[in-house]
Amino acid sequence: MNKETQLQKNFDKKGFNAGASSLKLICWYFTSVMFVRSGIIPFSSILVMILRMFGAKIGKDVRIKPGLYVHYPWKLTIGDHSWIAECRIENLAEVRIGSNACISQQAMLLTGNHDYKKTGFDLITKPIIIENGAWIGARAIVCPGITVKSHAVLTVAAVATKDLEPYGIYQGNPAVKVKDRIIS
């Protein structure tokens, strides 16, 4: 047996629990593909309703654009007046997005990763918290376990590998603070 086969056999999900029955997972998959990800429904209010039907906790006046990918809506919380573009929320663990936050086009919120040092390539999941007023720019990536604090900005294509300070503007890979956010 070669190393590649051995790694595949030993993959360990470390007791991962999707948080829903197989039936709910299947129903969500097909509903998501047909209505949420496809872009066939252009109305935010209907997309919000579908996500809520599957357990997402969504505040008032939230705008959700067609083409959104949410892995598990029952592990998603969004505060009031937030705007979620056609992005990818790979929420194997909880994702909390505060009020007045923005997640831009093709951004990725990734709560799962693997321990590449283990032969079992063990699954690691950690929650993501996007606090009130934060903005995740287009094609930016937020890694597992990160907190984007109040009103912080992760600019276009930046990668957050560490928590972002309140009112900081971050860019690059890995993202570094470049200046303070001044709101007038």
Side-chain angles (χ1 to χ4, degrees):
M1 181 180 335
N2 65 26
K3 269 189 171 182
E4 186 175 315
T5 305
Q6 186 178 12
L7 286 176
Q8 289 174 352
K9 274 186 129 176
N10 291 334
F11 178 75
D12 190 350
K13 290 168 55 171
K14 287 291 183 196
F16 174 74
N17 182 347
S21 68
S22 296
L23 178 61
K24 187 173 184 177
L25 290 168
I26 291 167
C27 288
W28 169 245
Y29 174 78
F30 286 109
T31 301
S32 175
V33 168
M34 291 189 308
F35 301 113
V36 181
R37 296 189 320 206
S38 71
I40 196 167
I41 297 176
F43 306 108
S44 181
S45 58
I46 295 173
L47 296 171
V48 167
M49 180 189 71
I50 291 169
L51 288 164
R52 283 179 177 152
M53 283 175 27
F54 280 91
K57 296 170 201 73
I58 301 176
K60 65 183 178 189
D61 197 30
V62 170
R63 298 288 178 249
I64 294 182
K65 303 300 278 180
L68 172 67
Y69 175 94
V70 176
H71 203 78
Y72 297 137
W74 47 90
K75 293 184 178 190
L76 177 63
T77 302
I78 303 172
D80 299 336
H81 313 292
S82 288
W83 189 85
I84 313 297
E86 55 278 7
C87 62
R88 184 174 188 95
I89 301 175
E90 190 73 44
N91 58 334
L92 303 176
E94 180 183 6
V95 168
R96 285 187 301 168
I97 300 169
S99 295
N100 300 298
C102 178
I103 313 298
S104 295
Q105 298 82 352
Q106 298 180 5
M108 293 175 38
L109 307 182
L110 306 173
T111 62
N113 204 344
H114 297 278
D115 188 346
Y116 60 85
K117 296 177 184 175
K118 304 268 180 149
T119 59
F121 205 50
D122 300 354
L123 179 64
I124 302 166
T125 61
K126 295 179 182 175
I128 289 175
I129 299 167
I130 310 292
E131 292 184 355
N132 296 342
W135 180 11
I136 307 303
R139 294 195 173 189
I141 299 172
V142 179
C143 294
I146 300 302
T147 297
V148 177
K149 299 205 173 146
S150 175
H151 297 83
V153 176
L154 183 63
T155 62
V156 171
V159 179
T161 58
K162 295 181 182 170
D163 290 352
L164 307 187
E165 296 173 17
Y167 291 89
I169 299 176
Y170 291 80
Q171 64 184 177
N173 180 7
V176 294
K177 185 175 178 183
V178 293
K179 60 183 170 179
D180 289 324
R181 180 180 184 187
I182 310 294
I183 299 175
S184 55

PDB file of all heavy atoms in Angstrom, residues 82-120:
ATOM      1  N   SER A  82     -27.655  43.552   7.310  1.00  0.00           N
ATOM      2  CA  SER A  82     -26.415  43.104   6.675  1.00  0.00           C
ATOM      3  C   SER A  82     -26.654  42.777   5.212  1.00  0.00           C
ATOM      4  O   SER A  82     -27.788  42.558   4.781  1.00  0.00           O
ATOM      5  CB  SER A  82     -25.843  41.895   7.418  1.00  0.00           C
ATOM      6  OG  SER A  82     -25.322  42.314   8.657  1.00  0.00           O
ATOM      7  N   TRP A  83     -25.567  42.739   4.454  1.00  0.00           N
ATOM      8  CA  TRP A  83     -25.635  42.512   3.021  1.00  0.00           C
ATOM      9  C   TRP A  83     -24.697  41.362   2.687  1.00  0.00           C
ATOM     10  O   TRP A  83     -23.490  41.423   2.978  1.00  0.00           O
ATOM     11  CB  TRP A  83     -25.199  43.786   2.302  1.00  0.00           C
ATOM     12  CG  TRP A  83     -25.424  43.782   0.824  1.00  0.00           C
ATOM     13  CD1 TRP A  83     -26.578  44.113   0.176  1.00  0.00           C
ATOM     14  CD2 TRP A  83     -24.477  43.448  -0.185  1.00  0.00           C
ATOM     15  NE1 TRP A  83     -26.396  44.007  -1.185  1.00  0.00           N
ATOM     16  CE2 TRP A  83     -25.118  43.597  -1.429  1.00  0.00           C
ATOM     17  CE3 TRP A  83     -23.147  43.028  -0.170  1.00  0.00           C
ATOM     18  CZ2 TRP A  83     -24.482  43.345  -2.642  1.00  0.00           C
ATOM     19  CZ3 TRP A  83     -22.517  42.777  -1.372  1.00  0.00           C
ATOM     20  CH2 TRP A  83     -23.186  42.940  -2.591  1.00  0.00           C
ATOM     21  N   ILE A  84     -25.253  40.308   2.090  1.00  0.00           N
ATOM     22  CA  ILE A  84     -24.482  39.112   1.765  1.00  0.00           C
ATOM     23  C   ILE A  84     -24.552  38.906   0.252  1.00  0.00           C
ATOM     24  O   ILE A  84     -25.625  38.650  -0.300  1.00  0.00           O
ATOM     25  CB  ILE A  84     -25.034  37.858   2.493  1.00  0.00           C
ATOM     26  CG1 ILE A  84     -25.294  38.120   3.986  1.00  0.00           C
ATOM     27  CG2 ILE A  84     -24.112  36.664   2.273  1.00  0.00           C
ATOM     28  CD1 ILE A  84     -24.091  38.471   4.806  1.00  0.00           C
ATOM     29  N   ALA A  85     -23.410  39.007  -0.412  1.00  0.00           N
ATOM     30  CA  ALA A  85     -23.356  38.853  -1.869  1.00  0.00           C
ATOM     31  C   ALA A  85     -23.239  37.377  -2.234  1.00  0.00           C
ATOM     32  O   ALA A  85     -23.339  36.495  -1.373  1.00  0.00           O
ATOM     33  CB  ALA A  85     -22.171  39.638  -2.425  1.00  0.00           C
ATOM     34  N   GLU A  86     -22.996  37.127  -3.504  1.00  0.00           N
ATOM     35  CA  GLU A  86     -22.821  35.756  -3.976  1.00  0.00           C
ATOM     36  C   GLU A  86     -21.436  35.268  -3.543  1.00  0.00           C
ATOM     37  O   GLU A  86     -20.466  35.306  -4.293  1.00  0.00           O
ATOM     38  CB  GLU A  86     -23.034  35.645  -5.493  1.00  0.00           C
ATOM     39  CG  GLU A  86     -22.196  36.564  -6.340  1.00  0.00           C
ATOM     40  CD  GLU A  86     -22.737  37.982  -6.469  1.00  0.00           C
ATOM     41  OE1 GLU A  86     -23.721  38.364  -5.801  1.00  0.00           O
ATOM     42  OE2 GLU A  86     -22.151  38.733  -7.233  1.00  0.00           O
ATOM     43  N   CYS A  87     -21.386  34.809  -2.311  1.00  0.00           N
ATOM     44  CA  CYS A  87     -20.141  34.366  -1.698  1.00  0.00           C
ATOM     45  C   CYS A  87     -20.281  32.906  -1.257  1.00  0.00           C
ATOM     46  O   CYS A  87     -21.317  32.288  -1.491  1.00  0.00           O
ATOM     47  CB  CYS A  87     -19.798  35.261  -0.510  1.00  0.00           C
ATOM     48  SG  CYS A  87     -21.029  35.229   0.813  1.00  0.00           S
ATOM     49  N   ARG A  88     -19.248  32.382  -0.644  1.00  0.00           N
ATOM     50  CA  ARG A  88     -19.257  30.990  -0.184  1.00  0.00           C
ATOM     51  C   ARG A  88     -19.079  30.966   1.330  1.00  0.00           C
ATOM     52  O   ARG A  88     -18.059  31.424   1.843  1.00  0.00           O
ATOM     53  CB  ARG A  88     -18.149  30.199  -0.868  1.00  0.00           C
ATOM     54  CG  ARG A  88     -18.158  28.735  -0.521  1.00  0.00           C
ATOM     55  CD  ARG A  88     -17.118  27.972  -1.337  1.00  0.00           C
ATOM     56  NE  ARG A  88     -17.266  26.563  -1.122  1.00  0.00           N
ATOM     57  CZ  ARG A  88     -17.968  25.733  -1.890  1.00  0.00           C
ATOM     58  NH1 ARG A  88     -18.610  26.217  -2.943  1.00  0.00           N
ATOM     59  NH2 ARG A  88     -18.044  24.449  -1.625  1.00  0.00           N
ATOM     60  N   ILE A  89     -20.074  30.424   2.021  1.00  0.00           N
ATOM     61  CA  ILE A  89     -19.999  30.266   3.470  1.00  0.00           C
ATOM     62  C   ILE A  89     -19.905  28.775   3.738  1.00  0.00           C
ATOM     63  O   ILE A  89     -20.893  28.056   3.745  1.00  0.00           O
ATOM     64  CB  ILE A  89     -21.211  30.913   4.171  1.00  0.00           C
ATOM     65  CG1 ILE A  89     -21.272  32.412   3.842  1.00  0.00           C
ATOM     66  CG2 ILE A  89     -21.132  30.677   5.679  1.00  0.00           C
ATOM     67  CD1 ILE A  89     -22.486  33.136   4.382  1.00  0.00           C
ATOM     68  N   GLU A  90     -18.684  28.314   3.907  1.00  0.00           N
ATOM     69  CA  GLU A  90     -18.384  26.890   4.127  1.00  0.00           C
ATOM     70  C   GLU A  90     -18.395  26.674   5.640  1.00  0.00           C
ATOM     71  O   GLU A  90     -17.363  26.543   6.276  1.00  0.00           O
ATOM     72  CB  GLU A  90     -17.016  26.572   3.513  1.00  0.00           C
ATOM     73  CG  GLU A  90     -16.687  25.115   3.448  1.00  0.00           C
ATOM     74  CD  GLU A  90     -17.472  24.376   2.390  1.00  0.00           C
ATOM     75  OE1 GLU A  90     -17.622  24.867   1.262  1.00  0.00           O
ATOM     76  OE2 GLU A  90     -17.931  23.260   2.710  1.00  0.00           O
ATOM     77  N   ASN A  91     -19.602  26.662   6.207  1.00  0.00           N
ATOM     78  CA  ASN A  91     -19.743  26.673   7.659  1.00  0.00           C
ATOM     79  C   ASN A  91     -19.958  25.270   8.239  1.00  0.00           C
ATOM     80  O   ASN A  91     -21.037  24.910   8.650  1.00  0.00           O
ATOM     81  CB  ASN A  91     -20.842  27.642   8.096  1.00  0.00           C
ATOM     82  CG  ASN A  91     -22.195  27.325   7.501  1.00  0.00           C
ATOM     83  OD1 ASN A  91     -22.311  26.732   6.446  1.00  0.00           O
ATOM     84  ND2 ASN A  91     -23.236  27.721   8.201  1.00  0.00           N
ATOM     85  N   LEU A  92     -18.868  24.536   8.347  1.00  0.00           N
ATOM     86  CA  LEU A  92     -18.890  23.263   9.060  1.00  0.00           C
ATOM     87  C   LEU A  92     -19.030  23.514  10.558  1.00  0.00           C
ATOM     88  O   LEU A  92     -19.470  22.654  11.301  1.00  0.00           O
ATOM     89  CB  LEU A  92     -17.624  22.463   8.771  1.00  0.00           C
ATOM     90  CG  LEU A  92     -17.359  22.166   7.284  1.00  0.00           C
ATOM     91  CD1 LEU A  92     -16.025  21.457   7.118  1.00  0.00           C
ATOM     92  CD2 LEU A  92     -18.496  21.370   6.682  1.00  0.00           C
ATOM     93  N   ALA A  93     -18.630  24.698  10.990  1.00  0.00           N
ATOM     94  CA  ALA A  93     -18.842  25.184  12.359  1.00  0.00           C
ATOM     95  C   ALA A  93     -19.679  26.457  12.242  1.00  0.00           C
ATOM     96  O   ALA A  93     -19.956  26.947  11.150  1.00  0.00           O
ATOM     97  CB  ALA A  93     -17.503  25.474  13.035  1.00  0.00           C
ATOM     98  N   GLU A  94     -20.049  27.012  13.366  1.00  0.00           N
ATOM     99  CA  GLU A  94     -20.913  28.188  13.385  1.00  0.00           C
ATOM    100  C   GLU A  94     -20.256  29.395  12.713  1.00  0.00           C
ATOM    101  O   GLU A  94     -19.067  29.644  12.885  1.00  0.00           O
ATOM    102  CB  GLU A  94     -21.253  28.540  14.833  1.00  0.00           C
ATOM    103  CG  GLU A  94     -22.148  29.744  14.967  1.00  0.00           C
ATOM    104  CD  GLU A  94     -22.415  30.132  16.414  1.00  0.00           C
ATOM    105  OE1 GLU A  94     -21.828  29.554  17.333  1.00  0.00           O
ATOM    106  OE2 GLU A  94     -23.220  31.061  16.593  1.00  0.00           O
ATOM    107  N   VAL A  95     -21.054  30.136  11.956  1.00  0.00           N
ATOM    108  CA  VAL A  95     -20.647  31.433  11.414  1.00  0.00           C
ATOM    109  C   VAL A  95     -21.659  32.453  11.914  1.00  0.00           C
ATOM    110  O   VAL A  95     -22.858  32.288  11.708  1.00  0.00           O
ATOM    111  CB  VAL A  95     -20.597  31.429   9.871  1.00  0.00           C
ATOM    112  CG1 VAL A  95     -20.453  32.855   9.340  1.00  0.00           C
ATOM    113  CG2 VAL A  95     -19.453  30.569   9.369  1.00  0.00           C
ATOM    114  N   ARG A  96     -21.148  33.486  12.599  1.00  0.00           N
ATOM    115  CA  ARG A  96     -21.998  34.575  13.079  1.00  0.00           C
ATOM    116  C   ARG A  96     -21.563  35.867  12.398  1.00  0.00           C
ATOM    117  O   ARG A  96     -20.408  36.276  12.517  1.00  0.00           O
ATOM    118  CB  ARG A  96     -21.881  34.730  14.584  1.00  0.00           C
ATOM    119  CG  ARG A  96     -22.617  33.637  15.351  1.00  0.00           C
ATOM    120  CD  ARG A  96     -22.637  33.910  16.823  1.00  0.00           C
ATOM    121  NE  ARG A  96     -21.251  33.990  17.301  1.00  0.00           N
ATOM    122  CZ  ARG A  96     -20.900  34.432  18.492  1.00  0.00           C
ATOM    123  NH1 ARG A  96     -21.804  34.857  19.335  1.00  0.00           N
ATOM    124  NH2 ARG A  96     -19.637  34.471  18.851  1.00  0.00           N
ATOM    125  N   ILE A  97     -22.511  36.465  11.709  1.00  0.00           N
ATOM    126  CA  ILE A  97     -22.276  37.735  11.036  1.00  0.00           C
ATOM    127  C   ILE A  97     -23.133  38.768  11.757  1.00  0.00           C
ATOM    128  O   ILE A  97     -24.341  38.594  11.887  1.00  0.00           O
ATOM    129  CB  ILE A  97     -22.652  37.642   9.541  1.00  0.00           C
ATOM    130  CG1 ILE A  97     -21.795  36.564   8.856  1.00  0.00           C
ATOM    131  CG2 ILE A  97     -22.495  39.000   8.857  1.00  0.00           C
ATOM    132  CD1 ILE A  97     -22.254  36.194   7.464  1.00  0.00           C
ATOM    133  N   GLY A  98     -22.510  39.830  12.220  1.00  0.00           N
ATOM    134  CA  GLY A  98     -23.226  40.836  12.995  1.00  0.00           C
ATOM    135  C   GLY A  98     -24.123  41.714  12.150  1.00  0.00           C
ATOM    136  O   GLY A  98     -24.333  41.482  10.960  1.00  0.00           O
ATOM    137  N   SER A  99     -24.634  42.753  12.757  1.00  0.00           N
ATOM    138  CA  SER A  99     -25.492  43.724  12.081  1.00  0.00           C
ATOM    139  C   SER A  99     -24.651  44.693  11.255  1.00  0.00           C
ATOM    140  O   SER A  99     -23.494  44.969  11.592  1.00  0.00           O
ATOM    141  CB  SER A  99     -26.303  44.507  13.111  1.00  0.00           C
ATOM    142  OG  SER A  99     -27.186  43.638  13.789  1.00  0.00           O
ATOM    143  N   ASN A 100     -25.260  45.200  10.183  1.00  0.00           N
ATOM    144  CA  ASN A 100     -24.619  46.191   9.318  1.00  0.00           C
ATOM    145  C   ASN A 100     -23.274  45.724   8.768  1.00  0.00           C
ATOM    146  O   ASN A 100     -22.371  46.521   8.539  1.00  0.00           O
ATOM    147  CB  ASN A 100     -24.452  47.528  10.057  1.00  0.00           C
ATOM    148  CG  ASN A 100     -25.776  48.075  10.501  1.00  0.00           C
ATOM    149  OD1 ASN A 100     -26.642  48.362   9.677  1.00  0.00           O
ATOM    150  ND2 ASN A 100     -25.974  48.188  11.803  1.00  0.00           N
ATOM    151  N   ALA A 101     -23.143  44.429   8.564  1.00  0.00           N
ATOM    152  CA  ALA A 101     -21.918  43.859   8.004  1.00  0.00           C
ATOM    153  C   ALA A 101     -22.117  43.601   6.517  1.00  0.00           C
ATOM    154  O   ALA A 101     -23.245  43.537   6.023  1.00  0.00           O
ATOM    155  CB  ALA A 101     -21.564  42.558   8.730  1.00  0.00           C
ATOM    156  N   CYS A 102     -21.019  43.454   5.802  1.00  0.00           N
ATOM    157  CA  CYS A 102     -21.078  43.195   4.371  1.00  0.00           C
ATOM    158  C   CYS A 102     -20.091  42.083   4.021  1.00  0.00           C
ATOM    159  O   CYS A 102     -18.911  42.162   4.391  1.00  0.00           O
ATOM    160  CB  CYS A 102     -20.734  44.463   3.597  1.00  0.00           C
ATOM    161  SG  CYS A 102     -20.714  44.224   1.814  1.00  0.00           S
ATOM    162  N   ILE A 103     -20.594  41.066   3.319  1.00  0.00           N
ATOM    163  CA  ILE A 103     -19.739  40.011   2.785  1.00  0.00           C
ATOM    164  C   ILE A 103     -19.851  40.137   1.263  1.00  0.00           C
ATOM    165  O   ILE A 103     -20.906  39.883   0.690  1.00  0.00           O
ATOM    166  CB  ILE A 103     -20.191  38.606   3.250  1.00  0.00           C
ATOM    167  CG1 ILE A 103     -20.460  38.557   4.762  1.00  0.00           C
ATOM    168  CG2 ILE A 103     -19.175  37.558   2.808  1.00  0.00           C
ATOM    169  CD1 ILE A 103     -19.286  38.836   5.647  1.00  0.00           C
ATOM    170  N   SER A 104     -18.771  40.527   0.605  1.00  0.00           N
ATOM    171  CA  SER A 104     -18.803  40.869  -0.814  1.00  0.00           C
ATOM    172  C   SER A 104     -18.677  39.657  -1.731  1.00  0.00           C
ATOM    173  O   SER A 104     -18.450  38.535  -1.281  1.00  0.00           O
ATOM    174  CB  SER A 104     -17.691  41.875  -1.127  1.00  0.00           C
ATOM    175  OG  SER A 104     -17.927  43.088  -0.462  1.00  0.00           O
ATOM    176  N   GLN A 105     -18.758  39.928  -3.035  1.00  0.00           N
ATOM    177  CA  GLN A 105     -18.768  38.922  -4.074  1.00  0.00           C
ATOM    178  C   GLN A 105     -17.554  37.997  -3.999  1.00  0.00           C
ATOM    179  O   GLN A 105     -16.429  38.451  -3.879  1.00  0.00           O
ATOM    180  CB  GLN A 105     -18.798  39.577  -5.462  1.00  0.00           C
ATOM    181  CG  GLN A 105     -20.000  40.411  -5.725  1.00  0.00           C
ATOM    182  CD  GLN A 105     -19.920  41.824  -5.143  1.00  0.00           C
ATOM    183  OE1 GLN A 105     -19.019  42.181  -4.398  1.00  0.00           O
ATOM    184  NE2 GLN A 105     -20.913  42.632  -5.486  1.00  0.00           N
ATOM    185  N   GLN A 106     -17.841  36.716  -4.073  1.00  0.00           N
ATOM    186  CA  GLN A 106     -16.850  35.635  -4.119  1.00  0.00           C
ATOM    187  C   GLN A 106     -15.949  35.560  -2.893  1.00  0.00           C
ATOM    188  O   GLN A 106     -14.908  34.903  -2.924  1.00  0.00           O
ATOM    189  CB  GLN A 106     -16.036  35.707  -5.407  1.00  0.00           C
ATOM    190  CG  GLN A 106     -16.888  35.534  -6.642  1.00  0.00           C
ATOM    191  CD  GLN A 106     -16.093  35.601  -7.920  1.00  0.00           C
ATOM    192  OE1 GLN A 106     -14.877  35.689  -7.926  1.00  0.00           O
ATOM    193  NE2 GLN A 106     -16.795  35.567  -9.045  1.00  0.00           N
ATOM    194  N   ALA A 107     -16.340  36.218  -1.811  1.00  0.00           N
ATOM    195  CA  ALA A 107     -15.605  36.040  -0.559  1.00  0.00           C
ATOM    196  C   ALA A 107     -15.848  34.617  -0.058  1.00  0.00           C
ATOM    197  O   ALA A 107     -16.831  33.978  -0.438  1.00  0.00           O
ATOM    198  CB  ALA A 107     -16.078  37.057   0.477  1.00  0.00           C
ATOM    199  N   MET A 108     -14.941  34.127   0.772  1.00  0.00           N
ATOM    200  CA  MET A 108     -15.089  32.784   1.330  1.00  0.00           C
ATOM    201  C   MET A 108     -14.885  32.827   2.841  1.00  0.00           C
ATOM    202  O   MET A 108     -13.890  33.364   3.317  1.00  0.00           O
ATOM    203  CB  MET A 108     -14.077  31.828   0.697  1.00  0.00           C
ATOM    204  CG  MET A 108     -14.365  31.599  -0.775  1.00  0.00           C
ATOM    205  SD  MET A 108     -13.159  30.583  -1.683  1.00  0.00           S
ATOM    206  CE  MET A 108     -12.692  29.330  -0.574  1.00  0.00           C
ATOM    207  N   LEU A 109     -15.860  32.267   3.561  1.00  0.00           N
ATOM    208  CA  LEU A 109     -15.740  32.097   5.008  1.00  0.00           C
ATOM    209  C   LEU A 109     -15.555  30.606   5.228  1.00  0.00           C
ATOM    210  O   LEU A 109     -16.479  29.820   5.003  1.00  0.00           O
ATOM    211  CB  LEU A 109     -16.994  32.612   5.718  1.00  0.00           C
ATOM    212  CG  LEU A 109     -17.432  34.043   5.385  1.00  0.00           C
ATOM    213  CD1 LEU A 109     -18.666  34.418   6.200  1.00  0.00           C
ATOM    214  CD2 LEU A 109     -16.311  35.038   5.603  1.00  0.00           C
ATOM    215  N   LEU A 110     -14.370  30.197   5.655  1.00  0.00           N
ATOM    216  CA  LEU A 110     -14.007  28.786   5.748  1.00  0.00           C
ATOM    217  C   LEU A 110     -13.836  28.362   7.205  1.00  0.00           C
ATOM    218  O   LEU A 110     -12.901  28.802   7.857  1.00  0.00           O
ATOM    219  CB  LEU A 110     -12.702  28.526   4.993  1.00  0.00           C
ATOM    220  CG  LEU A 110     -12.671  28.982   3.537  1.00  0.00           C
ATOM    221  CD1 LEU A 110     -11.269  28.830   2.956  1.00  0.00           C
ATOM    222  CD2 LEU A 110     -13.676  28.203   2.726  1.00  0.00           C
ATOM    223  N   THR A 111     -14.719  27.524   7.704  1.00  0.00           N
ATOM    224  CA  THR A 111     -14.623  27.085   9.101  1.00  0.00           C
ATOM    225  C   THR A 111     -13.923  25.736   9.238  1.00  0.00           C
ATOM    226  O   THR A 111     -13.704  25.276  10.348  1.00  0.00           O
ATOM    227  CB  THR A 111     -16.014  26.982   9.754  1.00  0.00           C
ATOM    228  OG1 THR A 111     -16.768  26.000   9.050  1.00  0.00           O
ATOM    229  CG2 THR A 111     -16.730  28.317   9.755  1.00  0.00           C
ATOM    230  N   GLY A 112     -13.583  25.098   8.144  1.00  0.00           N
ATOM    231  CA  GLY A 112     -12.951  23.783   8.215  1.00  0.00           C
ATOM    232  C   GLY A 112     -11.589  23.760   7.566  1.00  0.00           C
ATOM    233  O   GLY A 112     -11.297  24.520   6.641  1.00  0.00           O
ATOM    234  N   ASN A 113     -10.749  22.874   8.089  1.00  0.00           N
ATOM    235  CA  ASN A 113      -9.412  22.669   7.552  1.00  0.00           C
ATOM    236  C   ASN A 113      -8.974  21.261   7.942  1.00  0.00           C
ATOM    237  O   ASN A 113      -9.735  20.531   8.586  1.00  0.00           O
ATOM    238  CB  ASN A 113      -8.449  23.723   8.098  1.00  0.00           C
ATOM    239  CG  ASN A 113      -7.260  23.950   7.193  1.00  0.00           C
ATOM    240  OD1 ASN A 113      -6.972  23.147   6.298  1.00  0.00           O
ATOM    241  ND2 ASN A 113      -6.556  25.040   7.405  1.00  0.00           N
ATOM    242  N   HIS A 114      -7.778  20.899   7.593  1.00  0.00           N
ATOM    243  CA  HIS A 114      -7.263  19.564   7.933  1.00  0.00           C
ATOM    244  C   HIS A 114      -5.898  19.687   8.585  1.00  0.00           C
ATOM    245  O   HIS A 114      -5.127  20.589   8.269  1.00  0.00           O
ATOM    246  CB  HIS A 114      -7.148  18.701   6.677  1.00  0.00           C
ATOM    247  CG  HIS A 114      -8.459  18.443   6.027  1.00  0.00           C
ATOM    248  ND1 HIS A 114      -9.307  17.461   6.455  1.00  0.00           N
ATOM    249  CD2 HIS A 114      -9.081  19.058   4.997  1.00  0.00           C
ATOM    250  CE1 HIS A 114     -10.400  17.468   5.707  1.00  0.00           C
ATOM    251  NE2 HIS A 114     -10.288  18.434   4.819  1.00  0.00           N
ATOM    252  N   ASP A 115      -5.607  18.760   9.479  1.00  0.00           N
ATOM    253  CA  ASP A 115      -4.300  18.708  10.126  1.00  0.00           C
ATOM    254  C   ASP A 115      -3.361  17.917   9.232  1.00  0.00           C
ATOM    255  O   ASP A 115      -3.363  16.688   9.232  1.00  0.00           O
ATOM    256  CB  ASP A 115      -4.424  18.061  11.513  1.00  0.00           C
ATOM    257  CG  ASP A 115      -3.141  18.156  12.305  1.00  0.00           C
ATOM    258  OD1 ASP A 115      -2.078  18.466  11.712  1.00  0.00           O
ATOM    259  OD2 ASP A 115      -3.192  17.912  13.523  1.00  0.00           O
ATOM    260  N   TYR A 116      -2.584  18.634   8.444  1.00  0.00           N
ATOM    261  CA  TYR A 116      -1.691  17.996   7.477  1.00  0.00           C
ATOM    262  C   TYR A 116      -0.520  17.274   8.138  1.00  0.00           C
ATOM    263  O   TYR A 116       0.202  16.531   7.488  1.00  0.00           O
ATOM    264  CB  TYR A 116      -1.174  19.030   6.460  1.00  0.00           C
ATOM    265  CG  TYR A 116      -0.408  20.172   7.090  1.00  0.00           C
ATOM    266  CD1 TYR A 116       0.949  20.072   7.372  1.00  0.00           C
ATOM    267  CD2 TYR A 116      -1.059  21.355   7.412  1.00  0.00           C
ATOM    268  CE1 TYR A 116       1.637  21.112   7.958  1.00  0.00           C
ATOM    269  CE2 TYR A 116      -0.377  22.411   7.994  1.00  0.00           C
ATOM    270  CZ  TYR A 116       0.972  22.276   8.262  1.00  0.00           C
ATOM    271  OH  TYR A 116       1.654  23.307   8.847  1.00  0.00           O
ATOM    272  N   LYS A 117      -0.344  17.450   9.445  1.00  0.00           N
ATOM    273  CA  LYS A 117       0.732  16.774  10.158  1.00  0.00           C
ATOM    274  C   LYS A 117       0.339  15.371  10.613  1.00  0.00           C
ATOM    275  O   LYS A 117       1.188  14.608  11.042  1.00  0.00           O
ATOM    276  CB  LYS A 117       1.149  17.604  11.373  1.00  0.00           C
ATOM    277  CG  LYS A 117       1.743  18.954  11.009  1.00  0.00           C
ATOM    278  CD  LYS A 117       2.061  19.761  12.246  1.00  0.00           C
ATOM    279  CE  LYS A 117       2.558  21.135  11.870  1.00  0.00           C
ATOM    280  NZ  LYS A 117       2.758  21.983  13.042  1.00  0.00           N
ATOM    281  N   LYS A 118      -0.933  15.054  10.542  1.00  0.00           N
ATOM    282  CA  LYS A 118      -1.440  13.749  10.986  1.00  0.00           C
ATOM    283  C   LYS A 118      -1.674  12.849   9.782  1.00  0.00           C
ATOM    284  O   LYS A 118      -2.140  13.305   8.741  1.00  0.00           O
ATOM    285  CB  LYS A 118      -2.764  13.917  11.747  1.00  0.00           C
ATOM    286  CG  LYS A 118      -2.697  14.852  12.926  1.00  0.00           C
ATOM    287  CD  LYS A 118      -2.386  14.102  14.170  1.00  0.00           C
ATOM    288  CE  LYS A 118      -2.329  15.088  15.324  1.00  0.00           C
ATOM    289  NZ  LYS A 118      -2.727  14.574  16.551  1.00  0.00           N
ATOM    290  N   THR A 119      -1.387  11.580   9.933  1.00  0.00           N
ATOM    291  CA  THR A 119      -1.623  10.648   8.826  1.00  0.00           C
ATOM    292  C   THR A 119      -3.109  10.539   8.510  1.00  0.00           C
ATOM    293  O   THR A 119      -3.478  10.248   7.385  1.00  0.00           O
ATOM    294  CB  THR A 119      -1.073   9.242   9.141  1.00  0.00           C
ATOM    295  OG1 THR A 119      -1.706   8.764  10.328  1.00  0.00           O
ATOM    296  CG2 THR A 119       0.430   9.269   9.305  1.00  0.00           C
ATOM    297  N   GLY A 120      -3.953  10.818   9.482  1.00  0.00           N
ATOM    298  CA  GLY A 120      -5.389  10.778   9.257  1.00  0.00           C
ATOM    299  C   GLY A 120      -5.947  12.039   8.632  1.00  0.00           C
ATOM    300  O   GLY A 120      -7.133  12.121   8.371  1.00  0.00           O
TER     301      GLY A 120
END
